[in-house]
Amino acid sequence: MRRAWPLTARGTGTGVLALACFIAAAQLGSVQLLAFGVFLTALVVVSLIALHITRRDVSLTRSSSPTAVPVGDGVRVTVHVGVRTALPTTPGTWEDRVPDGLEGRTDGRFPALGSGLRGGDRAVDLVYDLHATRRGVHWLGPLDLTIRDPFGIARRVAEVGDTTRLIVTPQCIELPPLTAFAGATGGMLQATTTRLGQGTDNLIARPYQPGDSMRRIHWRATAHRDMLMVREEEQESTPEATVVLDRGKARWGADAADRPGADEDFEAAVDACVSAVNALVRDGYAVQVIDVDGTPLSEVVPGGEQSAVAVLVARFATVTAQGSTHLATLAHLWSGSTIGPLVVITGALSTDDVDALAPVPAHSVHPVLLTTDALSDAVERAAATGWYATSIAPGTSLRDAWLRVAHADVVAAEVSS
């Protein structure tokens, strides 16, 4: 129950008029004014009593469609309110509480409901639309239900129901392929043999094991060896890619560590991160998402598993800036090894940061560097050290930026020819 002035504008006017009647009756000695004042006062008192002695059991369930919505999209919320009361109810108003980060009209007129003595509960569905403007986990509710007496003199504001969670995820933007086909730049395709007993199409004869399909028997080798033989297949392993989201607080605004959606640059970086993962997974890469110090930010997302991408996007609804790891740490993560495509997403990028990252491109077949705030000529200097670098400052097209780094070799070849 929320505390509020218990009288409507009509009720307040009635009370003021009653008080004026009492004062005038005392000054003029008018019995009629005194009686009228008593009548108005009794009307207000009866309205208050009638409003509070009538028992109303209110139940509420709230649902949203969808349950998770990207920033910039809309969501429809349905609030199912059931009221059980012995007497018919009069029209009222309702308002559902909505936090910052969600916009839309969340109030309206609550209809009158008949008596529930014969038919049980009386229910009504309240529907409204919201527009998501800030990433994070938001809580809808509770609902404020305002009930009035039949005369419209008194009102009662009831706080109904619990809160309901609504997840606002980063924007996952469709990006073009990083390469013409999965693994083209990765150099990560390796021949591996299947496990015994899988019963798949094979190229090399081996002894039969329980679990192998009889249809896979290699009859020529069986006749030659005088024992059942099956074929063993060579397969290509899933190509691998790595996406690095730099969460160091020193390279973002002061609000980036406070709550999701507070810093514009960090939001652009998070959008770029999930979009890059989605593009790489769609192209067949198994993607690992890490922080600058190598800390995994999610499970490895298998190639082609778009459902796993959806889980990652939902998880990134709450990621914030934290830590103070220097970008130079990246240079030590892959020393002595070569990895597939590497996408590094960072905030403020200085020429000193570029110098610290200079050894990294030598360890990746396609190193991509995306920055939301390039200082001086940092992007050009990064490109000179081997990075496919570009800016993704807020307000720029992430798709266009991705095209510049995804097909830089093709563009360069066309220019040179």
Side-chain angles (χ1 to χ4, degrees), residues 176-200:
L178 181 65
T179 57
F181 57 90
T185 62
M188 301 296 290
L189 299 180
Q190 303 173 356
T192 59
T193 58
T194 57
R195 296 179 181 178
L196 300 180
Q198 295 300 309
T200 56

Side-chain angles (χ1 to χ4, degrees), residues 177-266:
L178 181 65
T179 57
F181 57 90
T185 62
M188 301 296 290
L189 299 180
Q190 303 173 356
T192 59
T193 58
T194 57
R195 296 179 181 178
L196 300 180
Q198 295 300 309
T200 56
D201 292 328
N202 304 295
L203 301 176
I204 303 171
R206 60 167 175 79
Y208 171 85
Q209 295 290 333
D212 288 323
S213 172
M214 296 300 292
R215 293 179 298 177
R216 311 304 183 189
I217 293 178
H218 195 302
W219 293 109
R220 181 178 297 180
T222 297
H224 180 73
R225 299 279 187 94
D226 196 26
M227 62 182 298
L228 286 177
M229 303 291 291
V230 296
R231 296 186 299 270
E232 187 168 64
E233 177 190 41
E234 286 189 342
Q235 294 181 333
E236 290 183 335
S237 64
T238 302
E240 300 174 352
T242 305
V243 176
V244 180
L245 177 62
D246 179 10
R247 297 192 298 164
K249 288 188 286 187
R251 288 174 290 278
W252 306 104
D255 296 332
D258 294 339
R259 63 187 187 280
D263 182 70
E264 190 178 24
D265 284 358
F266 191 73

Side-chain angles (χ1 to χ4, degrees), residues 9-281:
R10 180 185 299 176
T12 302
T14 302
V16 171
L17 183 58
L19 180 60
C21 289
F22 288 136
I23 295 174
Q27 294 293 328
L28 301 176
S30 174
V31 178
Q32 290 82 0
L33 285 176
L34 179 61
F36 188 62
V38 171
F39 169 76
L40 293 178
T41 303
L43 183 61
V44 172
V45 172
V46 169
S47 297
L48 288 170
I49 294 175
L51 186 64
H52 286 81
I53 66 172
T54 303
R55 179 177 177 80
R56 295 178 177 88
D57 292 329
V58 183
S59 61
L60 181 146
T61 57
R62 185 186 293 102
S63 62
S64 61
S65 179
T67 55
V69 57
V71 172
D73 282 10
V75 59
R76 172 155 291 189
V77 180
T78 301
V79 184
H80 182 81
V81 182
V83 180
R84 174 175 292 181
T85 176
L87 300 176
T89 63
T90 56
T93 59
W94 62 272
E95 181 178 2
D96 209 11
R97 301 186 202 174
V98 173
D100 293 337
L102 299 170
E103 296 179 349
R105 183 174 179 179
T106 61
D107 60 356
R109 187 172 179 81
F110 194 84
L113 300 176
S115 172
L117 290 178
R118 296 183 178 180
D121 294 353
R122 294 293 184 268
V124 61
D125 287 335
L126 311 175
V127 182
Y128 60 90
D129 295 317
L130 294 174
H131 181 73
T133 60
R134 177 178 293 176
R135 179 176 59 90
V137 176
H138 303 282
W139 296 92
L140 308 178
L143 182 81
D144 292 332
L145 183 60
T146 302
I147 304 170
R148 291 178 172 83
D149 72 289
F151 300 106
I153 291 177
R155 65 182 175 186
R156 180 182 181 186
V157 180
E159 186 179 278
V160 182
D162 296 324
T163 56
T164 302
R165 185 178 67 172
L166 176 63
I167 300 176
V168 178
T169 65
Q171 283 186 309
C172 188
I173 301 169
E174 287 295 326
L175 301 177
L178 181 65
T179 57
F181 57 90
T185 62
M188 301 296 290
L189 299 180
Q190 303 173 356
T192 59
T193 58
T194 57
R195 296 179 181 178
L196 300 180
Q198 295 300 309
T200 56
D201 292 328
N202 304 295
L203 301 176
I204 303 171
R206 60 167 175 79
Y208 171 85
Q209 295 290 333
D212 288 323
S213 172
M214 296 300 292
R215 293 179 298 177
R216 311 304 183 189
I217 293 178
H218 195 302
W219 293 109
R220 181 178 297 180
T222 297
H224 180 73
R225 299 279 187 94
D226 196 26
M227 62 182 298
L228 286 177
M229 303 291 291
V230 296
R231 296 186 299 270
E232 187 168 64
E233 177 190 41
E234 286 189 342
Q235 294 181 333
E236 290 183 335
S237 64
T238 302
E240 300 174 352
T242 305
V243 176
V244 180
L245 177 62
D246 179 10
R247 297 192 298 164
K249 288 188 286 187
R251 288 174 290 278
W252 306 104
D255 296 332
D258 294 339
R259 63 187 187 280
D263 182 70
E264 190 178 24
D265 284 358
F266 191 73
E267 293 310 299
V270 175
D271 291 346
C273 178
V274 298
S275 300
V277 172
N278 180 63
L280 293 168
V281 169

